[in-house]
Amino acid sequence: MAIFGNEHRLVIVGAGFCGATIAYKVASELDLPVLVLDRRGHVGGNSYSKFDDETGIEYHQYGSHLFHTSNEAVWKFITQFSPFNNYRHRVFSRHRGKTYTIPINLMTINQFFGTDFDPAGARAFIAQQAAAENIEAPRNFEEKAVSQIGRPLYEAFIKGYTAKQWETDPAALPTEIISRLPVRFGFNDFYFGDLYEGLPTAGYSAIFDKILGHPKIKVVTGCDYFDVRGTIDPQVLSVYTGPLDRYFDYKFGELGWRTLDFEIERLDVEDFQGAAVVNYADIDVPFTRIHEFKHLHPERRHGNKTLIMREYSRFARRADEPYYPIGRQDDKRRYSQYKKLAEAEANVIFAGRLGTYRYLDMHQAIGAALNLYEKKVAPLLTGRCVKSDGPESDDLQRQSSPSLVPTRNAGVDEVMERRPRARSDR
Ligand code: FAD
Ligand code: UDP
């Protein structure tokens, strides 16, 4: 029984940035009807935001989402739906009762060591500490970190935070996770180094309402694909952006994810911490960071109250929302097994963060979706070529995220590993 009607030429599972981008391109450029399903009660995926009734402050339900990109096509795409403010992200880290700037930069180094180095002096000093570790070819997160920033900075700002964030021995974590965090020998303390950065002035949800409000797109929220799958014509092309292992009923076991618990508090103070995000580096503080969302929109008038959100990290169980792919060796092995099944699945394209088991930033999810539309979805829907079934991942991720785990742009001066186009990647 076709409960959604059978006029749709494309079914998209997931109304996050990946699904929404593909839906919009198909609707607006091919003029074809698209059905978008999401099991949550709202669209926007993890980028969803809403305005708090009590304080009037917009908050991001799944943690602060900072938009930044150097990809012109992505920026052009997203800004057609909203202007962006000029917010530039800075993060601070609390360690033993003091506040430092993160990523580690010249100010952090001088403050931490009580020195007054210039850039060259700091570089030489850190190089000396790193050399003491005697690690030539780092094989894991910890080796990578200490071989590049030395042990004192690692133990102060990385070790405790990472223990809370991943609950995994840093020696068992891949090097790519720490490669997301640059280290700089100048005073540049901006978190990102992209050409474009900012927050949508009317919020993320307003963007999603515009994208998915296209008359050719039908959205059904509160609908789990697996509850209605049997009613969807298997001949109709689908783009699945849900978890890859769930699609195959966990046949090879679960892919490892971290999930987060968020604790919201409304306070009768105008400014709780002076910045949008403060990390808590010490292991004896149970949360990893506190978000204070009003700082993301300096252009708005906010009242005397504030809204903060503490973030706690733990291993995801099946019923939890998966947030960060862990990417241990057994995850990589399982992913290859699922990938083979995905390649054999007719009329389904696996995409997005969950469908490809990759950490993607929003700009990467949009970039990958634009690419997927051009290379696979549009040709298939218009008969320009025959789909070779399989996950879009490898093809698409090459331009966004090369591994199973997060990568982030590193600053010009960083000492941790970076890739050639590092500045554009988060
Ligand atoms: P999602 O947004 O996760 O959307 C997938 C959708 O599929 C979900 O809505 C889900 O409900 C739905 N779905 C899953 N299974 C089913 C099913 N069976 N049936 C129906 N629907 C289903 N990126 C940035 O650029 N900047 C940031 O600052 C940033 N911060 C982040 C902080 C956190 C804590 C996290 C977890 C992510 C952050 N990101 C950030 C990444 C950003 O959230 C992702 O890039 C983006 O969500 C990817 O979009 P997506 O469409 O692939 O996945
Ligand atoms: N990290 C850390 N201390 C910090 C910030 C980051 O140890 O103050 C490490 C941690 O392991 C984290 C990784 O660097 O998982 C990547 O940091 P990022 O800020 O990219 O994490 P996200 O914002 O995506 O959670």
Side-chain angles (χ1 to χ4, degrees):
M1 185 186 56
I3 57 173
F4 303 112
N6 47 18
E7 70 277 19
H8 302 104
R9 295 287 307 280
L10 177 67
V11 174
I12 296 182
V13 182
F17 264 122
C18 179
T21 301
I22 295 170
Y24 185 80
K25 295 290 280 186
V26 170
S28 62
E29 290 186 10
L30 304 182
D31 200 28
L32 294 176
V34 183
L35 173 65
V36 179
L37 308 175
D38 203 297
R39 66 181 170 157
R40 290 175 175 169
H42 59 75
V43 296
N46 279 355
S47 312
Y48 173 70
S49 68
K50 66 178 179 193
F51 287 84
D52 180 49
D53 287 340
E54 191 180 323
T55 60
I57 295 167
E58 181 197 0
Y59 69 97
H60 303 173
Q61 185 157 313
Y62 305 94
S64 300
H65 273 62
L66 299 316
F67 199 94
H68 55 96
T69 187
S70 295
N71 183 324
E72 297 285 348
V74 168
W75 188 242
K76 196 170 159 209
F77 177 80
I78 198 71
T79 50
Q80 68 184 299
F81 304 108
S82 172
F84 278 63
N85 71 8
N86 61 2
Y87 174 80
R88 291 200 70 186
H89 197 42
R90 283 195 169 87
V91 176
F92 299 85
S93 179
R94 297 273 305 158
H95 168 62
R96 293 205 183 140
K98 283 195 176 151
T99 305
Y100 300 83
T101 52
I102 281 283
I104 291 167
N105 62 80
L106 187 53
M107 185 64 91
T108 329
I109 294 168
N110 278 333
Q111 195 186 346
F112 182 73
F113 291 105
T115 49
D116 188 26
F117 288 124
D118 63 6
R123 192 184 286 275
F125 178 72
I126 296 299
Q128 203 178 23
Q129 295 205 341
E133 296 296 323
N134 227 351
I135 297 167
E136 275 183 17
R139 291 161 302 173
N140 57 54
F141 181 106
E142 182 171 57
E143 287 186 2
K144 182 94 185 174
V146 294
S147 70
Q148 296 190 312
I149 57 173
R151 199 153 286 274
L153 286 173
Y154 170 76
E155 300 214 328
F157 297 109
I158 309 294
K159 190 178 174 183
Y161 187 95
T162 299
K164 291 189 285 186
Q165 173 77 358
W166 297 96
E167 275 180 295
T168 301
D169 181 354
L173 286 174
T175 54
E176 289 91 335
I177 292 176
I178 192 61
S179 304
R180 287 163 61 80
L181 202 63
V183 178
R184 306 193 183 116
F185 296 104
F187 289 120
N188 174 8
D189 60 358
F190 288 124
Y191 212 62
F192 306 116
D194 277 313
L195 282 178
Y196 307 108
E197 185 177 340
L199 273 295
T201 50
Y204 284 105
S205 292
I207 287 193
F208 280 95
D209 288 346
K210 272 202 178 168
I211 297 179
L212 294 170
H214 191 284
K216 287 276 175 183
I217 301 176
K218 174 175 175 162
V219 180
V220 183
T221 53
C223 174
D224 192 313
Y225 170 67
F226 296 105
D227 293 340
V228 297
R229 189 182 186 180
T231 71
I232 294 170
D233 181 351
Q235 297 306 314
V236 173
L237 183 66
S238 297
V239 173
Y240 174 82
T241 72
L244 182 60
D245 49 0
R246 167 70 184 94
Y247 186 93
F248 295 107
D249 207 15
Y250 306 103
K251 190 182 169 84
F252 303 118
E254 288 161 37
L255 292 167
W257 288 90
R258 299 289 293 168
T259 193
L260 302 171
D261 294 318
F262 296 106
E263 189 184 271
I264 290 178
E265 200 179 343
R266 293 162 187 89
L267 300 168
D268 281 323
V269 294
E270 196 174 336
D271 190 351
F272 171 73
Q273 62 184 15
V277 177
V278 175
N279 292 351
Y280 283 75
D282 299 335
I283 191 73
D284 51 351
V285 178
F287 45 86
T288 48
R289 51 188 172 184
I290 298 182
H291 308 261
E292 188 177 14
F293 294 96
K294 68 191 328 191
H295 295 291
L296 297 175
H297 286 278
E299 80 282 10
R300 289 182 187 162
R301 278 178 195 279
H302 292 108
N304 292 332
K305 291 184 171 188
T306 195
L307 183 150
I308 62 166
M309 195 155 110
R310 292 187 181 81
E311 181 176 319
Y312 300 80
S313 172
R314 61 178 169 82
F315 284 105
R317 295 181 293 263
R318 277 188 198 180
D320 293 320
E321 291 292 345
Y323 288 121
Y324 292 100
I326 301 174
R328 292 165 301 206
Q329 282 309 321
D330 55 342
D331 293 321
K332 292 181 181 175
R333 183 178 43 75
R334 276 192 197 111
Y335 171 72
S336 313
Q337 292 175 298
Y338 283 123
K339 192 174 151 216
K340 282 204 185 99
L341 288 189
E343 278 162 3
E345 192 74 3
N347 286 327
V348 183
I349 296 171
F350 293 81
R353 196 175 57 89
L354 302 166
T356 61
Y357 191 57
R358 278 169 169 75
Y359 187 93
L360 297 177
D361 272 326
M362 293 179 283
H363 67 284
Q364 294 170 320
I366 295 169
L370 293 173
N371 201 20
L372 179 62
Y373 166 77
E374 291 295 337
K375 299 260 171 63
K376 280 189 179 169
V377 177
L380 278 167
L381 291 175
T382 55
R384 290 210 301 266
C385 81
V386 178
K387 172 182 178 267
S388 62
D389 291 311
E392 49 81 37
S393 55
D394 292 344
D395 192 26
L396 294 166
Q397 305 311 325
R398 257 194 288 276
Q399 52 96 36
S400 51
S401 177
S403 67
L404 289 179
V405 292
T407 54
R408 118 104 55 78
N409 72 306
V412 182
D413 266 348
E414 101 286 11
V415 292
M416 299 200 177
E417 180 182 83
R418 70 180 163 158
R419 295 177 295 117
R421 282 194 68 243
R423 290 185 72 85
S424 65
D425 290 328
R426 172 174 170 146

